[in-house]
Amino acid sequence: MALFHVRMDVKIPHDLDPEVRAETVAREKAYSQELQRSGKWKELWRIVGQYSNISIFDVESADELHELLQGLPLFPYMDMEVMALTRHPSRIDD
Amino acid sequence: MALFHVRMDVKIPHDLDPEVRAETVAREKAYSQELQRSGKWKELWRIVGQYSNISIFDVESADELHELLQGLPLFPYMDMEVMALTRHPSRIDD
Amino acid sequence: MALFHVRMDVKIPHDLDPEVRAETVAREKAYSQELQRSGKWKELWRIVGQYSNISIFDVESADELHELLQGLPLFPYMDMEVMALTRHPSRIDD
Amino acid sequence: MALFHVRMDVKIPHDLDPEVRAETVAREKAYSQELQRSGKWKELWRIVGQYSNISIFDVESADELHELLQGLPLFPYMDMEVMALTRHPSRIDD
Amino acid sequence: MALFHVRMDVKIPHDLDPEVRAETVAREKAYSQELQRSGKWKELWRIVGQYSNISIFDVESADELHELLQGLPLFPYMDMEVMALTRHPSRIDD
Amino acid sequence: MALFHVRMDVKIPHDLDPEVRAETVAREKAYSQELQRSGKWKELWRIVGQYSNISIFDVESADELHELLQGLPLFPYMDMEVMALTRHPSRIDD
Amino acid sequence: MALFHVRMDVKIPHDLDPEVRAETVAREKAYSQELQRSGKWKELWRIVGQYSNISIFDVESADELHELLQGLPLFPYMDMEVMALTRHPSRIDD
Amino acid sequence: MALFHVRMDVKIPHDLDPEVRAETVAREKAYSQELQRSGKWKELWRIVGQYSNISIFDVESADELHELLQGLPLFPYMDMEVMALTRHPSRIDD
Amino acid sequence: MALFHVRMDVKIPHDLDPEVRAETVAREKAYSQELQRSGKWKELWRIVGQYSNISIFDVESADELHELLQGLPLFPYMDMEVMALTRHPSRIDD
Amino acid sequence: MALFHVRMDVKIPHDLDPEVRAETVAREKAYSQELQRSGKWKELWRIVGQYSNISIFDVESADELHELLQGLPLFPYMDMEVMALTRHPSRIDD
């Protein structure tokens, strides 16, 4: 398994049609929750004061991660930063 | 409770006495593991290719977080980036 | 209680409808003053030469701060920078 | 009166003589507290996770501010960022 | 008196109505010349190759400076950088 | 398998003992060539005008990559930038 | 022959006509595959989580590279970063 | 005479009328060639992979340079970076 | 004549011999005052809170400016930023 | 032939032995002049106010350029920025 740290900053254009916007945000939520249920989207937090999140993905491979991220309904409106993670030598569990 | 995302980049000067260095790194590990056992240092990952970590702290307050971080034996040799986290509206659990 | 330092840079798109703009700015002012009266928006200054402010928030938690910031009528048009504060060891009062 | 927002990041060289360091830090604290008592150093907070502070100065003029900052015992070891502040139109008091 | 160094970068949107643009630029010029005559806008230079200026303001206070800058007809279309100045110890005059 | 793009910028301190330096650089070369022979260090180029390289690693996992990078004799003297790669949809082979 | 490392970040404006967009992306793919078949576009990877690629070009000259890049149907919508590469002294083959 | 190094990055808005665009680019070329013939625009190169150029101007003064640059038909659509040059002490000619 | 805007940030190494430091700073002051008297170093201000100055030079040419700057006793310890200035079209005098 | 634009910023450590420094600078000058005579180091200018140069190299290939740059006696003390150049379509000669 492969662990990735992803920061997503959402930047929806102000002139996007409000219905398209609402529908896209709703699909994003459903998609995200489905991935959380599958265990692949392992952690998800909101950064205080930002329309941004910090996520931890636990996937088969970087290829699978790209498939998942690219499938996000808000993908065209997000800046993403991806970092591969590994076990920390001081970590007590796992 | 308060959740914080911390990135620590370790930059030990090359001319630090090797014994001081080894002893400081050992104390850092013990200190980190004690905080992990207490549940306050909730997550700890190594960033691939970096002498850096991503950590999640689950503390009483920002004041407590500062106490903990400042107590790190490697604190004088680290660049830190701290972000407050909050619940994400799409999160399925908690 | 938790203390946060927030910088807000307002960037209203030039093509926003002037009435929407005026109404949003008016609601922002009312909302801000209500939070100031409650004691949660503890300090508020304008940065000279900028359409920006420096604010100090005194809230229950980072979660409450996010609720407040997200509720700002100008939130979609602002860049925000949030830093958690703690007591300075040289501070004479409190 | 003139209000200024100052961020100070302390970067004491690792090879500074420990006695010089301790003595400088002690003088810094005394100097800071004297200015706080005079009302000129109006606010002082520690940034969580940083050897840095956010300060508000309430002085006669920018000239006086420079005198005060330049007199800080740690001045040679600090990066400073100074911004002039003014009254915010939404502020309820003063 | 208080001395400030201001850099202004003009970024008028390409789709601004040409008449509005011309009229705004004309008002900016008149406003600037009035402030120069009053002695408050003490120096004004164009940066070579840029639609930008370097200005020195000599005002009663930072509050007055903010009033003046905010009143610039091009204010909504400019990025500003403000620095407080003070007497240099090597300066021979004043 | 997992593909990673790594940029390494070598910054050996000027005051490092010349013998230590020469010996470390020699070990780095041997280590690198061993990894190239194993197929894990798949591509290696010098950036023109820089003491830097661009590398492609083809490894079992990000965990293995971290082990390999951390084992580089020059690791303490390098800045690294790691990016996970995946198949490009326009790629003709593989 | 000359080797170049190119990073391309695709930034298609959100308001581009969807048909123009689809047709441009299709022509880009055909053009890219033709260059790959010719051996000039030697490597092509997608960066995980980004609408970006890392490419290696193997061309006669920088002049030829510019011709190729400028001919890309998506050229007006891409940020490019070009670096000349050369043989690495530790490389085992070639 | 005064020598200046100028980098120009052309950023024509995607929604500019194609005829206006073509006509502006044509006037830019004519204007540039006239200045090259006069000897004032001494060198002109394209940066590989960019819609950018590196230019050397040989003019009477910085004032003249600003007049020339400001007169460029593409001036409103370019980011410019200007550096004054002087004779290098190791230069063999002139 | 040619007008230049120069920002100088002084960064004297902490381990410089105190006598060398004092003597260099004294020579810098004398040199600066001589150039001010000649009219070439036309303006000189301290930036509040910084060991930095903003200067205006009024010289024959960029070549002369470089000679002057390079002759500064603190030149090896300063970061410099140089911008050519020209007359602003809204300027009322000169 | 291949044309490259190189910016070199010289950063010699303050504690380098003065004799080593003088001898290295002298060798750099001789090396540079030899390359200028060969026609490979085609242009060389000093940036005003900086210990930096802008150079144009006219070489067989990027490989040759790297050999030349790496052979500079000051190479270990310089930051370099290399850009490949090509013919500009508006250029009148060549």
Side-chain angles (χ1 to χ4, degrees):
Chain A
M1 295 302 287
L3 222 52
F4 289 92
H5 179 280
V6 182
R7 176 182 172 147
M8 307 181 196
D9 295 293
V10 186
K11 296 181 177 177
I12 304 178
H14 296 303
D15 53 0
L16 191 70
D17 179 289
E19 276 187 53
V20 173
R21 182 193 173 109
E23 184 265 350
T24 310
V25 169
R27 279 195 295 127
E28 175 86 9
K29 186 169 188 170
Y31 181 92
S32 160
Q33 296 189 333
E34 182 190 318
L35 288 175
Q36 288 176 70
R37 269 182 230 107
S38 75
K40 290 178 193 304
W41 196 326
K42 190 183 153 90
E43 299 282 359
L44 170 63
W45 299 285
R46 172 69 81 215
I47 302 175
V48 169
Q50 314 292 337
Y51 192 1
S52 305
N53 71 62
I54 293 290
S55 295
I56 305 293
F57 283 87
D58 188 359
V59 290
E60 286 300 319
S61 64
D63 306 288
E64 185 187 18
L65 178 64
H66 189 71
E67 287 303 307
L68 298 182
L69 295 178
Q70 196 178 230
L72 288 165
L74 286 173
F75 184 76
Y77 309 124
M78 293 199 291
D79 287 344
M80 290 219 184
E81 194 190 54
V82 175
M83 294 189 302
L85 299 177
T86 187
R87 195 179 178 282
H88 193 285
S90 298
R91 182 136 187 176
I92 52 170
D93 57 347
D94 52 43
Chain B
M1 294 304 284
L3 223 52
F4 289 93
H5 179 280
V6 182
R7 175 180 174 148
M8 307 181 196
D9 295 294
V10 186
K11 296 179 178 179
I12 304 179
H14 297 303
D15 54 1
L16 191 69
D17 179 290
E19 277 188 52
V20 173
R21 180 191 173 110
E23 182 265 350
T24 309
V25 169
R27 278 195 297 126
E28 176 86 8
K29 185 170 189 170
Y31 181 91
S32 160
Q33 296 190 332
E34 183 191 316
L35 287 175
Q36 287 177 71
R37 271 181 228 107
S38 76
K40 291 180 192 302
W41 197 326
K42 191 183 152 89
E43 300 281 0
L44 170 62
W45 299 284
R46 173 68 83 216
I47 303 175
V48 169
Q50 314 292 337
Y51 193 0
S52 305
N53 72 62
I54 293 289
S55 294
I56 305 291
F57 284 86
D58 187 359
V59 289
E60 286 300 319
S61 64
D63 307 286
E64 186 186 18
L65 177 64
H66 189 71
E67 287 303 306
L68 299 182
L69 295 177
Q70 195 179 230
L72 289 164
L74 285 173
F75 184 77
Y77 309 124
M78 293 200 290
D79 288 343
M80 290 220 183
E81 192 190 54
V82 176
M83 293 190 300
L85 299 177
T86 188
R87 196 182 178 278
H88 193 285
S90 299
R91 184 139 186 173
I92 53 170
D93 58 347
D94 51 44
Chain C
M1 296 303 286
L3 223 52
F4 289 92
H5 180 280
V6 183
R7 176 181 172 148
M8 307 180 196
D9 295 293
V10 186
K11 296 181 177 177
I12 304 178
H14 296 303
D15 54 1
L16 190 70
D17 180 289
E19 276 187 54
V20 172
R21 182 193 172 109
E23 184 264 351
T24 310
V25 169
R27 279 195 296 126
E28 175 86 8
K29 186 170 188 169
Y31 182 91
S32 160
Q33 295 189 334
E34 183 190 317
L35 288 175
Q36 287 177 71
R37 270 183 229 107
S38 76
K40 289 178 193 305
W41 196 326
K42 191 183 153 88
E43 300 281 0
L44 170 62
W45 298 284
R46 172 70 80 217
I47 302 175
V48 170
Q50 314 291 338
Y51 192 2
S52 305
N53 73 62
I54 293 289
S55 294
I56 305 293
F57 283 87
D58 188 358
V59 290
E60 286 301 319
S61 64
D63 307 287
E64 185 186 18
L65 178 64
H66 189 71
E67 286 302 307
L68 298 183
L69 295 178
Q70 196 178 229
L72 288 165
L74 286 174
F75 184 76
Y77 309 124
M78 294 199 291
D79 286 345
M80 290 219 184
E81 192 190 54
V82 175
M83 293 190 300
L85 299 177
T86 188
R87 194 180 178 281
H88 193 284
S90 298
R91 183 137 187 175
I92 53 170
D93 57 347
D94 50 44
Chain D
M1 295 303 284
L3 223 52
F4 289 92
H5 179 279
V6 182
R7 176 180 172 147
M8 307 180 197
D9 295 294
V10 186
K11 296 179 177 180
I12 304 179
H14 296 304
D15 54 1
L16 191 70
D17 180 290
E19 276 188 52
V20 173
R21 181 192 173 108
E23 183 266 349
T24 309
V25 169
R27 279 194 297 125
E28 175 87 7
K29 185 170 188 170
Y31 181 90
S32 160
Q33 295 190 333
E34 182 190 318
L35 287 175
Q36 287 178 71
R37 271 182 228 106
S38 75
K40 291 178 193 304
W41 198 327
K42 192 182 151 90
E43 300 281 0
L44 170 62
W45 298 285
R46 174 68 80 217
I47 303 175
V48 169
Q50 314 292 337
Y51 193 1
S52 305
N53 72 63
I54 293 289
S55 294
I56 306 291
F57 284 87
D58 188 358
V59 290
E60 286 300 318
S61 63
D63 307 287
E64 186 186 17
L65 178 64
H66 188 70
E67 286 303 306
L68 299 182
L69 295 178
Q70 195 178 232
L72 289 164
L74 285 174
F75 184 77
Y77 309 124
M78 293 199 290
D79 287 344
M80 289 220 184
E81 192 190 54
V82 176
M83 293 189 301
L85 299 177
T86 188
R87 194 180 179 280
H88 193 286
S90 299
R91 184 139 186 173
I92 53 170
D93 58 346
D94 49 45
Chain E
M1 296 302 286
L3 224 52
F4 289 92
H5 179 281
V6 183
R7 176 182 172 147
M8 306 181 197
D9 295 294
V10 186
K11 296 181 177 179
I12 304 179
H14 296 304
D15 53 1
L16 191 69
D17 180 289
E19 276 187 53
V20 172
R21 182 191 173 109
E23 185 263 350
T24 309
V25 169
R27 279 194 296 127
E28 176 87 7
K29 187 171 188 171
Y31 182 91
S32 161
Q33 295 190 333
E34 182 190 319
L35 288 176
Q36 287 177 71
R37 272 183 227 106
S38 75
K40 289 177 193 305
W41 197 326
K42 192 183 152 90
E43 300 281 1
L44 170 62
W45 298 285
R46 173 69 81 217
I47 302 175
V48 169
Q50 314 292 338
Y51 193 1
S52 305
N53 72 63
I54 292 290
S55 295
I56 305 292
F57 284 87
D58 188 358
V59 290
E60 286 300 319
S61 63
D63 307 287
E64 186 187 16
L65 178 65
H66 189 70
E67 287 303 307
L68 299 183
L69 295 177
Q70 196 179 230
L72 288 165
L74 285 173
F75 184 77
Y77 309 124
M78 294 199 291
D79 287 345
M80 289 220 184
E81 192 190 55
V82 175
M83 293 190 301
L85 299 177
T86 189
R87 194 181 178 279
H88 193 285
S90 298
R91 183 137 186 175
I92 53 170
D93 59 346
D94 50 43
Chain F
M1 295 303 286
L3 223 52
F4 288 93
H5 179 280
V6 183
R7 176 181 172 147
M8 307 180 196
D9 295 294
V10 186
K11 296 182 177 176
I12 304 179
H14 297 302
D15 54 0
L16 191 69
D17 180 289
E19 276 188 52
V20 173
R21 180 192 174 108
E23 183 265 350
T24 309
V25 169
R27 279 195 296 125
E28 175 86 9
K29 187 170 188 169
Y31 182 91
S32 160
Q33 295 190 332
E34 182 190 318
L35 288 176
Q36 288 177 71
R37 270 182 229 106
S38 75
K40 291 180 191 303
W41 196 327
K42 190 182 153 89
E43 299 281 0
L44 170 62
W45 299 285
R46 174 67 82 217
I47 303 175
V48 169
Q50 314 292 338
Y51 193 1
S52 305
N53 72 62
I54 293 289
S55 294
I56 305 292
F57 283 87
D58 188 359
V59 290
E60 286 300 319
S61 63
D63 306 287
E64 185 187 17
L65 177 65
H66 189 71
E67 286 303 306
L68 299 182
L69 295 177
Q70 197 179 229
L72 288 164
L74 286 174
F75 184 76
Y77 309 124
M78 293 199 290
D79 287 344
M80 290 220 183
E81 192 190 55
V82 175
M83 293 189 301
L85 299 177
T86 188
R87 196 181 176 280
H88 193 285
S90 299
R91 183 139 186 173
I92 53 170
D93 58 347
D94 52 43
Chain G
M1 295 303 285
L3 223 52
F4 289 93
H5 179 280
V6 183
R7 176 182 172 147
M8 307 181 197
D9 295 293
V10 186
K11 296 180 179 179
I12 304 178
H14 296 304
D15 54 1
L16 191 69
D17 180 289
E19 277 188 52
V20 173
R21 181 192 174 109
E23 183 266 349
T24 309
V25 169
R27 279 194 296 126
E28 176 87 8
K29 187 170 187 170
Y31 182 92
S32 160
Q33 294 189 333
E34 182 191 317
L35 288 175
Q36 287 178 70
R37 271 182 228 106
S38 75
K40 291 179 192 303
W41 197 326
K42 192 182 152 91
E43 299 281 1
L44 170 63
W45 299 284
R46 172 69 81 216
I47 303 174
V48 169
Q50 315 291 337
Y51 193 1
S52 305
N53 72 63
I54 293 289
S55 294
I56 306 293
F57 284 87
D58 188 358
V59 289
E60 286 300 318
S61 64
D63 306 288
E64 185 187 18
L65 177 65
H66 189 71
E67 286 302 307
L68 299 182
L69 295 178
Q70 196 179 229
L72 288 164
L74 284 174
F75 184 76
Y77 309 123
M78 293 199 291
D79 287 344
M80 290 220 182
E81 194 190 55
V82 175
M83 293 189 302
L85 298 178
T86 189
R87 195 181 178 280
H88 193 285
S90 299
R91 184 137 186 174
I92 53 170
D93 58 347
D94 52 42
Chain H
M1 294 304 285
L3 224 51
F4 289 93
H5 179 280
V6 182
R7 176 181 172 147
M8 306 181 198
D9 295 294
V10 186
K11 295 180 179 180
I12 304 179
H14 296 304
D15 53 2
L16 191 69
D17 180 290
E19 277 187 52
V20 172
R21 181 192 173 108
E23 184 264 350
T24 308
V25 169
R27 279 194 297 126
E28 176 86 7
K29 186 170 188 170
Y31 181 91
S32 161
Q33 295 190 332
E34 182 191 318
L35 288 175
Q36 287 177 72
R37 272 183 227 106
S38 75
K40 290 179 193 304
W41 197 326
K42 192 183 152 90
E43 300 281 1
L44 170 62
W45 298 285
R46 173 68 82 217
I47 303 175
V48 169
Q50 314 291 337
Y51 193 2
S52 305
N53 72 63
I54 293 289
S55 294
I56 306 292
F57 284 87
D58 188 357
V59 290
E60 286 300 319
S61 64
D63 307 288
E64 186 186 17
L65 177 65
H66 188 71
E67 286 303 306
L68 298 182
L69 295 178
Q70 196 180 229
L72 288 165
L74 285 174
F75 184 76
Y77 309 124
M78 293 199 290
D79 286 345
M80 290 220 182
E81 193 190 55
V82 176
M83 293 189 302
L85 299 177
T86 189
R87 194 180 179 280
H88 193 285
S90 298
R91 184 138 187 175
I92 53 171
D93 59 347
D94 51 44
Chain I
M1 296 302 286
L3 223 53
F4 289 93
H5 179 279
V6 182
R7 176 181 172 147
M8 306 181 197
D9 294 294
V10 186
K11 296 180 178 180
I12 304 178
H14 296 303
D15 54 1
L16 190 70
D17 180 289
E19 276 187 53
V20 173
R21 181 193 172 107
E23 184 265 349
T24 309
V25 169
R27 278 194 298 124
E28 175 87 7
K29 185 170 189 170
Y31 182 90
S32 160
Q33 295 190 332
E34 183 190 318
L35 287 176
Q36 287 178 71
R37 271 183 228 106
S38 75
K40 290 177 193 304
W41 197 327
K42 191 182 152 89
E43 300 281 0
L44 171 61
W45 298 285
R46 173 68 82 217
I47 303 176
V48 170
Q50 314 291 338
Y51 193 1
S52 305
N53 72 63
I54 293 289
S55 295
I56 306 292
F57 284 86
D58 187 359
V59 290
E60 285 301 317
S61 64
D63 307 287
E64 185 186 18
L65 178 65
H66 188 71
E67 286 304 306
L68 299 183
L69 295 177
Q70 195 179 230
L72 288 165
L74 286 173
F75 184 76
Y77 309 124
M78 293 199 290
D79 287 345
M80 290 220 185
E81 192 190 54
V82 176
M83 292 189 302
L85 299 177
T86 189
R87 193 179 178 281
H88 193 285
S90 299
R91 183 138 186 175
I92 52 170
D93 58 346
D94 51 44
Chain J
M1 296 302 285
L3 222 52
F4 289 93
H5 179 280
V6 182
R7 175 181 173 148
M8 307 181 196
D9 295 293
V10 186
K11 297 181 177 177
I12 304 178
H14 297 303
D15 53 2
L16 190 70
D17 180 288
E19 277 187 52
V20 173
R21 181 193 173 108
E23 183 264 350
T24 309
V25 169
R27 279 195 296 124
E28 175 86 9
K29 186 171 188 169
Y31 181 91
S32 161
Q33 295 189 333
E34 182 190 319
L35 288 175
Q36 287 177 71
R37 270 182 229 106
S38 75
K40 291 178 192 305
W41 197 327
K42 191 184 154 89
E43 300 281 0
L44 170 61
W45 298 284
R46 173 68 82 217
I47 302 175
V48 169
Q50 314 292 339
Y51 193 1
S52 304
N53 72 62
I54 293 290
S55 294
I56 305 293
F57 284 86
D58 188 359
V59 290
E60 286 301 318
S61 64
D63 307 287
E64 185 186 18
L65 178 65
H66 189 70
E67 287 302 307
L68 299 183
L69 295 178
Q70 197 179 227
L72 288 165
L74 286 174
F75 184 76
Y77 309 125
M78 293 199 290
D79 287 344
M80 290 220 185
E81 193 191 54
V82 175
M83 292 189 301
L85 299 178
T86 189
R87 194 181 178 280
H88 193 284
S90 299
R91 183 137 186 175
I92 53 170
D93 59 346
D94 51 44

Coordinates of all heavy atoms in Angstrom, one line a residue, chain B residues 1 4 62-63 66 82 84-87, chain C residues 1 4 62-63 66 82 84-87:
Chain B
M1 N -11.2 19.8 22.3 CA -9.9 19.4 21.8 C -9.6 20.2 20.5 O -10.4 20.7 19.8 CB -9.9 17.9 21.5 CG -10.0 17.1 22.7 SD -8.8 17.4 24.0 CE -7.3 16.6 23.3
F4 N -4.1 20.1 15.2 CA -3.2 20.9 14.4 C -2.4 20.0 13.5 O -2.0 18.9 13.8 CB -2.2 21.7 15.4 CG -2.9 22.8 16.1 CD1 -3.4 22.6 17.4 CD2 -3.0 24.0 15.5 CE1 -4.1 23.6 18.1 CE2 -3.6 25.1 16.2 CZ -4.2 24.8 17.5
A62 N -3.9 25.5 21.7 CA -2.7 26.0 21.0 C -1.6 26.3 22.0 O -0.4 26.1 21.7 CB -3.1 27.3 20.2
D63 N -2.0 26.7 23.2 CA -1.0 26.9 24.2 C -0.3 25.6 24.6 O 1.0 25.6 24.7 CB -1.6 27.5 25.5 CG -2.5 28.7 25.2 OD1 -1.9 29.8 24.9 OD2 -3.7 28.6 25.1
H66 N 2.1 24.6 21.8 CA 3.4 25.4 21.8 C 4.3 24.8 22.8 O 5.5 24.7 22.6 CB 3.1 26.9 22.0 CG 4.4 27.7 21.8 ND1 5.0 27.9 20.6 CD2 5.2 28.3 22.7 CE1 6.1 28.6 20.7 NE2 6.3 28.8 22.0
V82 N 2.8 25.5 11.2 CA 1.6 25.0 12.0 C 0.3 25.5 11.3 O 0.2 26.7 11.0 CB 1.7 25.6 13.4 CG1 0.5 25.2 14.2 CG2 3.0 25.1 14.1
A84 N -4.0 25.2 12.0 CA -5.1 24.7 12.7 C -6.1 24.0 11.7 O -6.3 24.5 10.6 CB -5.9 25.9 13.4
L85 N -6.6 22.9 12.2 CA -7.5 22.1 11.4 C -8.9 22.1 12.0 O -9.0 22.3 13.2 CB -7.1 20.6 11.3 CG -5.7 20.4 10.6 CD1 -5.4 18.9 10.7 CD2 -5.7 20.8 9.2
T86 N -9.9 21.8 11.2 CA -11.3 21.7 11.8 C -12.0 20.6 11.0 O -11.4 20.1 10.0 CB -12.0 23.0 11.7 OG1 -13.3 22.9 12.4 CG2 -12.3 23.4 10.3
R87 N -13.1 20.2 11.4 CA -13.9 19.1 10.8 C -14.2 19.5 9.3 O -14.6 20.6 9.1 CB -15.2 18.9 11.6 CG -15.8 17.5 11.2 CD -17.1 17.3 12.0 NE -17.6 16.0 11.5 CZ -18.3 15.9 10.3 NH1 -18.6 17.0 9.6 NH2 -18.7 14.7 9.9
Chain C
M1 N -9.8 29.3 26.2 CA -10.0 30.2 25.1 C -8.8 30.1 24.2 O -7.7 29.7 24.6 CB -10.1 31.7 25.6 CG -11.4 31.9 26.4 SD -12.9 31.5 25.5 CE -13.0 32.8 24.3
F4 N -6.3 33.8 17.9 CA -5.8 33.6 16.5 C -5.5 35.0 15.9 O -6.2 36.0 16.1 CB -6.8 32.9 15.7 CG -6.8 31.4 16.0 CD1 -7.8 31.0 16.9 CD2 -6.0 30.5 15.5 CE1 -7.9 29.6 17.3 CE2 -6.0 29.2 15.8 CZ -7.0 28.7 16.7
A62 N -10.6 26.5 17.4 CA -10.3 26.7 16.0 C -11.6 26.4 15.2 O -11.8 27.0 14.2 CB -9.2 25.8 15.6
D63 N -12.4 25.5 15.7 CA -13.6 25.1 15.0 C -14.6 26.3 15.0 O -15.1 26.7 13.9 CB -14.3 23.9 15.7 CG -13.4 22.8 15.9 OD1 -13.1 22.1 14.8 OD2 -12.9 22.5 17.0
H66 N -13.3 28.9 12.5 CA -13.6 28.6 11.1 C -15.1 28.9 10.8 O -15.4 29.5 9.7 CB -13.3 27.1 10.8 CG -13.5 26.8 9.3 ND1 -12.5 27.3 8.4 CD2 -14.4 26.2 8.6 CE1 -12.9 26.9 7.2 NE2 -14.0 26.2 7.3
V82 N -4.0 32.5 8.6 CA -4.4 32.3 10.0 C -3.2 31.7 10.8 O -2.6 30.8 10.4 CB -5.6 31.3 10.1 CG1 -5.9 30.9 11.6 CG2 -6.8 31.8 9.4
A84 N -2.1 30.6 14.9 CA -2.5 30.4 16.3 C -1.4 31.2 17.1 O -0.2 31.2 16.9 CB -2.5 29.0 16.7
L85 N -1.9 31.9 18.2 CA -1.1 32.6 19.1 C -1.1 32.0 20.5 O -2.0 31.3 20.8 CB -1.5 34.1 19.2 CG -1.6 34.9 17.9 CD1 -2.2 36.3 18.2 CD2 -0.2 35.1 17.3
T86 N 0.0 32.3 21.2 CA 0.0 31.8 22.6 C 0.7 32.9 23.4 O 1.2 33.9 22.9 CB 0.7 30.5 22.7 OG1 0.5 30.0 24.1 CG2 2.2 30.6 22.5
R87 N 0.6 32.8 24.7 CA 1.2 33.8 25.6 C 2.7 33.9 25.4 O 3.4 32.9 25.2 CB 0.9 33.4 27.1 CG 1.2 34.5 28.0 CD 0.9 34.1 29.5 NE 1.3 35.3 30.3 CZ 2.5 35.6 30.6 NH1 3.5 34.9 30.3 NH2 2.7 36.7 31.3

